[in-house]
Amino acid sequence: MPGGIDPHTHLAMEFMGSETIDDFFSGQAAALAGGTTMHIDFVIPVNGSLSAGYKAYVEKAKRSCMDYGFHMAITKWDETVSEDMEIMVKEKGINSFKFFLAYKGSFMVNDELLMEGLKKCKSLGALAMVHAENGDAVFEGQKRMIELGITGPEGHALSRPPVLEGEATARAIRLAGFVNTPLYVVHVMSIDAMEEIARARKSGQRVIGEPVVSGLVLNDSVLWDPDFHFAARYVMSPPIRAPGHGTALQGALATGLLQLVGTDHCTFNSTQKALGIGDFRKIPNGVNGMEERMHLVWDTMVASGQISVTDYVRITSTECARIFNIYPRKGAVLLGSDADIIILNPNSSFEISSKSHHYRTDTNVYEGWRGKGKVEVTIAGGRIVWENDELKVVPGAGKYIEMPPFSYLFDGIDKEDAKYLSSLRAPVKRSTT
């Protein structure tokens, strides 16, 4: 089948006073061992500058051993940012921009900035993406927990409940509908957010929902573990939810309410996570997933009978390639496609362990997971890079994949705009006498 495409990763990212432990070589090598042959990473601007951020990430990606693309985060708004967005789309092969509605004081944008960004994305044919949590309310929730003396990892989940993810998802969807531009909601972690996406799609709005593996298969009981170091490894945002949310997200994926699976791979080691001992607000957010995604989705969704093999290919590869406008170069096994192919043995077993994974981090949130369906061979760009449990990767072998604007999600938008304008029956001509 086609190699997997992970639409959501953070390699070598500076965040919360630290830098993710996996870089573009170690994270990608691990991904190849797990059957993923391309990923799309988020470029974080440098002091708000998109061009400076892009340059920094081009440098970070020089040791890449597999193909990759870039999304771009928008953290402030002025004329330079607007001009830079145009350069990114027209010259640098970036066709998606992410807006954080969370992380007050750092990445968070307000509704005014989001509106400007949505309008600009629409004009460029670029996909607007949102991290949907109400940052102001999360800040209030964090203060509340600290006042209650709840300073451990469980405070992280309690301070940002599903209702705040649902609210921000609904708000972003409605604003995108107002502008009439497609919207991509990253890491959908709750029933609350999923239901907003389902409602919007049912009404015909162009909204994509991306659950991540951790949200599909884990639950928040781990955050109440008495061992801080164990509990802290599971801290991510939005948080892993109570039992029931993951099952509902699996159902939404199986029925097409959600469209593809990412990881939000953003790894910190035990020492880095320990920065938050005594204050959960200082625990660097993020979990692993690039190496495990293909195995866990097969084991959870295919081996259980929830989806077909064809659906599996769609949610792990093909739909991502279509959304980001690189199909059939990626996401297909066709004449003329890149030769990114995996061989998965449904009868072969896998076991996940921090002792055998290929990351630099010393922990794994799926530690001890045993399942069926193992990627036995990974071919990237026609080269065998994973076979007989052995990696054959070379730094610098990965290619940057430019992603053109105006994917299928933009088809017919101009007709909808024309229909809207004709429906206004305005301005009304009135006599002035």
Side-chain angles (χ1 to χ4, degrees):
M1 62 181 75
I5 308 172
D6 188 340
H8 190 153
T9 63
H10 299 281
L11 299 178
M13 179 176 86
E14 288 155 40
F15 183 51
M16 295 183 73
S18 213
E19 183 173 321
T20 55
I21 197 81
D22 280 314
D23 63 12
F24 275 79
F25 180 72
S26 68
Q28 291 182 352
L32 289 168
T36 289
T37 52
M38 179 180 168
H39 71 111
I40 313 176
D41 209 82
F42 286 88
V43 172
I44 307 297
V46 174
N47 299 321
S49 166
L50 275 54
S51 52
Y54 177 78
K55 278 181 194 149
Y57 270 75
V58 166
E59 198 59 38
K60 290 178 187 199
K62 280 189 172 166
R63 295 184 70 242
S64 286
C65 58
M66 84 174 188
D67 292 358
Y68 62 97
F70 286 146
H71 309 291
M72 174 75 74
I74 304 291
T75 54
K76 70 169 196 176
W77 192 261
D78 56 29
E79 202 45 51
T80 306
V81 170
S82 178
E83 288 165 6
D84 272 356
M85 282 176 75
E86 209 152 320
I87 292 166
M88 293 303 142
V89 172
K90 293 179 177 172
E91 298 174 23
K92 306 299 185 188
I94 291 172
N95 68 1
S96 48
F97 296 93
K98 181 179 181 183
F99 301 87
F100 291 88
L101 307 187
Y103 302 122
K104 187 179 171 78
S106 59
F107 295 158
M108 179 178 152
V109 303
N110 60 21
D111 287 354
E112 183 186 2
L113 193 157
L114 178 61
M115 290 287 294
E116 290 297 333
L118 289 170
K119 289 191 294 182
K120 189 69 179 180
C121 282
K122 180 180 180 178
S123 71
L124 294 170
L127 185 56
M129 313 175 84
V130 284
H131 171 141
E133 289 182 287
N134 186 313
D136 289 319
V138 167
F139 185 71
E140 181 59 35
Q142 289 174 329
K143 282 197 299 185
R144 184 190 294 173
M145 290 308 120
I146 297 298
E147 283 164 10
L148 291 169
I150 301 168
T151 59
E154 71 279 11
H156 177 75
L158 293 169
S159 68
R160 45 207 316 147
V163 66
L164 302 187
E165 188 186 350
E167 184 280 330
T169 304
R171 179 161 38 101
I173 285 171
R174 283 161 174 76
L175 293 177
F178 178 63
V179 173
N180 189 28
T181 195
L183 184 72
Y184 183 114
V185 183
V186 303
H187 49 43
V188 178
M189 297 292 280
S190 65
I191 293 169
D192 305 51
M194 178 266 288
E195 286 181 339
E196 295 295 343
I197 293 163
R199 188 177 298 123
R201 286 179 65 84
K202 195 175 178 184
S203 73
Q205 197 174 335
R206 302 154 192 250
V207 182
I208 299 292
E210 168 212 271
V212 289
V213 177
S214 51
L216 292 171
V217 307
L218 300 175
N219 69 69
D220 70 353
S221 60
V222 288
L223 295 169
W224 272 259
D225 193 275
D227 179 348
F228 168 86
H229 295 285
F230 178 83
R233 71 176 69 160
Y234 293 93
V235 168
M236 65 176 291
S237 294
I240 294 161
R241 302 297 187 188
H245 286 273
T247 312
L249 294 174
Q250 289 176 28
L253 199 53
T255 53
L257 293 176
L258 298 174
Q259 288 68 53
L260 73 170
V261 183
T263 60
D264 194 9
H265 180 94
C266 186
T267 46
F268 297 96
N269 64 19
S270 299
T271 308
Q272 292 171 305
K273 289 278 189 177
L275 292 168
I277 289 178
D279 188 345
F280 66 83
R281 296 171 297 181
K282 294 177 182 169
I283 301 171
N285 287 199
V287 301
N288 57 284
M290 283 178 87
E291 186 167 359
E292 299 82 12
R293 181 182 71 121
M294 299 293 281
H295 290 132
L296 289 172
V297 173
W298 182 280
D299 188 44
T300 307
M301 302 294 293
V302 184
S304 67
Q306 290 194 77
I307 62 170
S308 67
V309 177
T310 308
D311 287 333
Y312 175 80
V313 173
R314 177 176 54 80
I315 66 176
T316 59
S317 177
T318 308
E319 188 57 26
C320 182
R322 289 180 69 237
I323 289 167
F324 295 104
N325 219 10
I326 49 174
Y327 183 86
R329 178 180 180 182
K330 301 289 185 185
V333 181
L334 294 170
L335 194 66
S337 302
D338 287 355
D340 297 335
I341 301 164
I342 61 171
I343 299 170
L344 184 147
N345 183 346
N347 300 313
S348 189
S349 301
F350 67 87
E351 183 176 351
I352 297 169
S353 167
S354 56
K355 292 184 176 68
S356 57
H357 71 203
H358 296 84
Y359 308 126
R360 285 190 174 151
T361 186
D362 57 342
T363 63
N364 192 305
V365 295
Y366 310 104
E367 188 71 44
W369 187 296
R370 290 184 178 87
K372 275 288 178 79
K374 186 175 191 298
V375 175
E376 296 190 335
V377 180
T378 305
I379 299 165
R383 290 181 306 110
I384 295 174
V385 291
W386 172 254
E387 190 179 24
N388 301 322
D389 289 342
E390 208 179 310
L391 264 175
K392 300 160 188 166
V393 289
V394 186
K399 297 189 298 295
Y400 175 63
I401 306 298
E402 294 197 4
M403 300 183 289
F406 293 104
S407 74
Y408 81 92
L409 291 168
F410 286 85
D411 293 350
I413 288 254
D414 49 350
K415 284 182 185 169
E416 287 177 8
D417 284 343
K419 191 176 172 185
Y420 164 73
L421 291 172
S422 67
S423 76
L424 297 178
R425 298 183 294 115
V428 174
K429 291 194 172 87
R430 294 182 175 87
S431 69
T432 52
T433 55

